[in-house]
Amino acid sequence: MHDQSSDLPIVFSRVWLDAGSVTILKALSLTIEPGPPTVLVGPNGSGKSSVLHLAMGLMRPSRGSISWGGHPIEEAHRLAIVFQRPVMLRRSVAANVLFALRASGNTSDRRETVRTVLKRVGLAGFEDRPARRLSGGEQQRLALARALATDPQVLFLDEPTASLDPAATKGVEEIVQSIAGSGVKIVMATHDLGQARRLAGDVVLLVHGKVMEHAPAATLFANPQSREAAAFLRGDLVL
């Protein structure tokens, strides 16, 4: 079990994000606590990916602040992110994981770590295969293995199954549940409400760059408190 005290909670305090003349996030305040997965949902363009990228330090807010465990974001560590379409290095499966290990500075027994994480994501025996010749689902499993190899405390997932068929999606969801069960905090963006129901401990609904509702998953799905959440769950939310 990971120590969850050092980098959590993640706190967004009145964060604005502008891209030219377009405002993506508007005075967004959000606290992400330790525990089961936090899942971000909302219409396309609502700001889900931007929240993940800001939390990772891949983008900077235009105004407002983001802290990790009460410290500036620059002091956060043990973070990893998996994108919808991960870039595979033109190398073997094992070499992709080794690259991530070296980049993170992980000093563990690297061969043993590669074996362990590949087994964990269902890719044992794939070590010597060219990564770019894997199926989409297998590539996403490899992306998860690369992330796990860095021993993250928080793992961000940006629409990780959006390009996958139902069978591959089920496999990835099972891995995500396993990772969450091991004590890694999952923060995930998805457009799939069924997936949010299956995976989320708490759900954040974003609309027009604002948090419209943040509640335990069971509460939000059974009894949404905002008009926007009720409309979104019905499929009637039109931007």
Side-chain angles (χ1 to χ4, degrees):
M1 179 70 72
H2 289 276
D3 171 18
Q4 294 182 316
S5 63
S6 61
D7 276 345
L8 292 164
I10 307 167
V11 179
F12 286 70
S13 299
R14 293 190 59 80
V15 169
W16 292 74
L17 181 64
D18 301 317
S21 61
V22 178
T23 299
I24 299 170
L25 299 179
K26 304 172 184 177
L28 183 139
S29 292
L30 172 66
T31 299
I32 298 173
E33 303 276 4
T38 295
V39 176
L40 312 179
V41 299
N44 288 338
S46 59
K48 301 187 295 295
S49 293
S50 296
V51 169
L52 299 189
H53 294 176
L54 285 164
M56 273 291 292
L58 300 176
M59 302 166 66
R60 296 291 181 213
S62 304
R63 282 165 282 164
S65 65
I66 304 165
S67 66
W68 283 74
H71 300 285
I73 189 171
E74 291 78 12
E75 296 178 23
H77 58 285
R78 288 176 59 194
L79 319 177
I81 189 165
V82 172
F83 298 101
Q84 179 180 339
R85 291 185 176 87
V87 175
M88 297 289 109
L89 301 178
R90 201 184 300 274
R91 304 178 188 178
S92 69
V93 166
N96 268 262
V97 179
L98 279 169
F99 180 85
L101 272 171
R102 293 191 186 103
S104 71
N106 190 322
T107 57
S108 62
D109 181 333
R110 287 175 176 165
R111 289 183 180 179
E112 182 58 33
T113 299
V114 170
R115 282 194 294 269
T116 299
V117 297
L118 289 179
K119 181 178 180 181
R120 193 169 172 187
V121 302
L123 292 179
F126 283 63
E127 286 83 354
D128 296 328
R129 296 195 189 183
R132 292 190 177 183
R133 294 186 185 174
L134 299 178
S135 69
E138 290 165 348
Q139 288 192 3
Q140 201 61 283
R141 287 170 182 259
L142 177 53
L144 288 166
R146 291 190 306 199
L148 287 173
T150 69
D151 191 29
Q153 183 184 50
V154 183
L155 175 58
F156 297 97
L157 304 174
D158 193 359
E159 303 269 8
T161 62
S163 304
L164 304 183
D165 63 31
T169 294
K170 184 174 186 292
V172 169
E173 287 184 3
E174 289 171 351
I175 296 166
V176 170
Q177 288 172 321
S178 171
I179 295 170
S182 74
V184 178
K185 176 65 184 186
I186 301 285
V187 185
M188 176 178 177
T190 183
H191 68 279
D192 183 340
L193 283 178
Q195 185 168 73
R197 289 176 189 270
R198 292 187 292 272
L199 297 179
D202 60 307
V203 176
V204 180
L205 172 65
L206 293 168
V207 180
H208 290 309
K210 297 180 180 179
V211 175
M212 288 297 173
E213 195 154 341
H214 183 194
T219 301
L220 188 143
F221 287 120
N223 187 26
Q225 296 301 299
S226 66
R227 183 177 58 189
E228 291 84 358
F232 184 67
L233 294 179
R234 291 195 309 268
D236 293 340
L237 186 61
V238 179
L239 296 183

